[in-house]
């Protein structure tokens, strides 16, 4: 069988054809997926993408899924994984009720679930308020967050710990000459730094708007969210049949868990906050 993993990031299997916006590992093909999928019709038995679709505007998402359909062979399987809007909404309502009833534990959970709902859509800098929350020295509801986000939350919490340990203030008077020399060196040796310095000087206060605009178009933010109804409706619109919601370990794909894309080797779920849905391309 021929397998295709789109927008794979660093989560890929060497038995698959792996495509990402930038090459993220050996054999990963770099390609801008907003311009289509760079393979002929009927090329793959399986097409998979995880936490990619929500980064496209609605109109681009539909075109992208039609591209997935195009490169699938008849009877091929499309597996789509996205953040589960329904799960987020239900957790929000539970947190709202319990926090309103006076639970301090759920008050912290309420604060977090609001970040899940809004931050990934509204943020203007990488990581947003979710990363800031996870970089705190004391996280009051760490177990709750790890249960929702899995290994990614653990990695961010660990990154925050390391950053705190390695942080060295460099604004003391004795460091200022060294910092100035570093800036001069970067200006002379690095064209991008030189360009940005000139833009900042020319644009003044408008430079921050340029930075926000660049970030908003970088692909990190969520452009739309899906629940089981909206995603199934979209897959059906794109021509797929036998559409079904699975768990992380369930799939039409033979020996699915052996690839460790949605699950870890120990059987735990890689992204527990996800909606897992599949459809099949008709035979004719």
């Amino acid at each position: 069988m021929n397998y295709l993993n789109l927008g794979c990031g660093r989560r890929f299997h060497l038995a698959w054809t792996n495509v990402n916006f930038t090459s993220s590992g050996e054999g990963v093909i770099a390609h801008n997926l907003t311009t289509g999928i760079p393979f002929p019709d009927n090329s793959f038995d399986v097409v998979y993408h995880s936490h990619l679709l929500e980064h496209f505007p609605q109109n681009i998402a539909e075109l992208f899924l039609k591209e997935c359909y195009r490169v699938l062979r008849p009877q091929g399987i499309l597996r789509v994984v996205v953040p589960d809007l329904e799960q987020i909404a239900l957790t929000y309502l539970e947190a709202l009720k319990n926090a309103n009833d006076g639970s301090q534990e759920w008050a912290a959970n309420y604060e977090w679930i609001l970040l899940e709902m809004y931050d990934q859509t509204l943020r203007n800098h990488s990581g947003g308020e979710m990363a800031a929350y996870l970089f705190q020295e004391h996280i009051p509801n760490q177990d709750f967050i790890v249960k929702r986000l899995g290994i990614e939350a653990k990695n961010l919490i660990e990154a925050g710990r390391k950053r705190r340990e390695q942080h060295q203030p460099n604004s003391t008077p004795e460091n200022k000459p060294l910092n100035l020399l570093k800036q001069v060196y970067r200006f002379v040796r690095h064209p991008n730094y030189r360009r940005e310095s000139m833009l900042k000087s020319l644009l003044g206060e408008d430079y921050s708007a340029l930075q926000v605009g660049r970030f908003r178009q970088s692909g990190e933010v969520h452009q739309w969210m899906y629940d089981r109804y909206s995603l199934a409706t979209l897959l059906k619109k794109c021509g797929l049949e036998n559409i079904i919601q699975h768990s992380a370990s369930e799939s039409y794909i033979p020996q699915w868990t052996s690839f460790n894309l949605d699950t870890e080797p120990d059987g735990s779920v890689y992204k527990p906050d996800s909606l897992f849905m599949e459809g099949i391309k008709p035979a004719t």
Side-chain angles (χ1 to χ4, degrees), residues 156-169:
L156 280 170
I157 291 167
E158 178 64 15
R161 184 190 65 78
K162 289 181 178 179
R163 191 172 76 164
R164 288 192 301 274
E165 290 178 352
Q166 296 171 358
H167 179 66
Q168 297 292 333

Side-chain angles (χ1 to χ4, degrees), residues 6-278:
L6 298 169
C8 63
R10 299 188 180 278
R11 190 83 174 182
F12 56 88
H13 192 283
L14 294 178
W16 293 53
T17 299
N18 301 293
V19 181
N20 198 43
F21 287 88
T22 58
S23 183
S24 51
E26 183 178 355
V28 175
I29 300 167
H31 180 75
N32 181 0
L33 290 167
T34 63
T35 64
I37 299 174
F39 299 103
D41 297 358
N42 307 318
S43 296
F44 295 94
D45 301 289
V46 173
V47 175
Y48 164 82
H49 46 86
S50 175
H51 287 241
L52 172 65
L53 194 68
E54 68 274 12
H55 294 278
F56 297 145
Q58 274 186 294
N59 61 323
I60 302 299
E62 182 176 340
L63 293 173
F64 175 70
L65 287 176
K66 288 179 178 177
E67 274 288 280
C68 295
Y69 182 93
R70 178 185 65 79
V71 301
L72 269 177
R73 292 170 178 163
Q75 295 292 284
I77 302 163
L78 173 62
R79 182 176 177 92
V80 180
V81 184
V82 292
D84 189 345
L85 176 60
E86 180 183 13
Q87 183 191 122
I88 293 172
L90 290 173
T91 305
Y92 162 75
L93 291 173
E94 182 182 12
L96 174 63
K97 179 184 182 304
N98 290 326
N100 196 53
D101 287 344
S103 168
Q104 291 302 307
E105 176 185 358
W106 277 98
N109 296 343
Y110 174 84
E111 181 181 355
W112 173 259
I113 204 66
L114 279 180
L115 291 179
E116 274 197 52
M117 291 178 70
Y118 288 110
D119 180 57
Q120 293 180 92
T121 300
L122 299 177
R123 68 177 57 160
N124 288 329
H125 60 274
S126 185
E129 296 305 314
M130 291 176 73
Y133 192 100
L134 294 176
F135 281 3
Q136 295 179 101
E137 186 170 359
H138 173 66
I139 301 171
N141 53 345
Q142 180 170 323
D143 290 344
F144 173 81
I145 296 171
V146 169
K147 184 177 179 180
R148 287 198 53 76
L149 301 188
I151 190 66
E152 287 193 330
K154 292 181 180 179
N155 289 341
L156 280 170
I157 291 167
E158 178 64 15
R161 184 190 65 78
K162 289 181 178 179
R163 191 172 76 164
R164 288 192 301 274
E165 290 178 352
Q166 296 171 358
H167 179 66
Q168 297 292 333
N170 56 7
S171 59
T172 57
E174 58 269 24
N175 284 333
K176 287 184 178 179
L178 179 60
N179 291 337
L180 180 60
L181 284 174
K182 288 180 179 179
Q183 291 180 31
V184 171
Y185 176 82
R186 286 197 294 265
F187 189 88
V188 172
R189 298 288 296 177
H190 300 288
N192 286 342
Y193 182 82
R194 187 162 60 247
R195 182 192 64 189
E196 293 303 309
S197 297
M198 294 174 68
L199 280 172
K200 189 173 183 179
S201 177
L202 288 169
L203 294 175
E205 293 181 357
D206 289 338
Y207 181 72
S208 61
L210 173 64
Q211 289 179 301
V212 170
R214 284 172 168 173
F215 171 75
R216 296 289 301 176
Q217 295 184 13
S218 69
E220 180 175 323
V221 297
H222 289 181
Q223 301 282 350
W224 200 250
M225 294 288 284
Y226 298 90
D227 52 37
R228 54 188 164 137
Y229 173 77
S230 61
L231 184 55
T233 300
L234 184 56
L235 293 176
K236 184 177 180 180
K237 184 177 181 181
C238 293
L240 292 150
E241 298 179 342
N242 299 322
I243 297 164
I244 188 171
Q245 180 181 352
H246 280 306
S247 69
S249 59
E250 297 171 328
S251 178
Y252 289 137
I253 303 166
Q255 299 180 317
W256 168 243
T257 55
S258 67
F259 299 115
N260 292 131
L261 292 174
D262 288 336
T263 54
E264 301 289 355
D266 64 1
S268 61
V269 181
Y270 174 54
K271 287 180 177 284
D273 61 331
S274 299
L275 169 66
F276 307 91
M277 192 159 282
E278 293 182 0

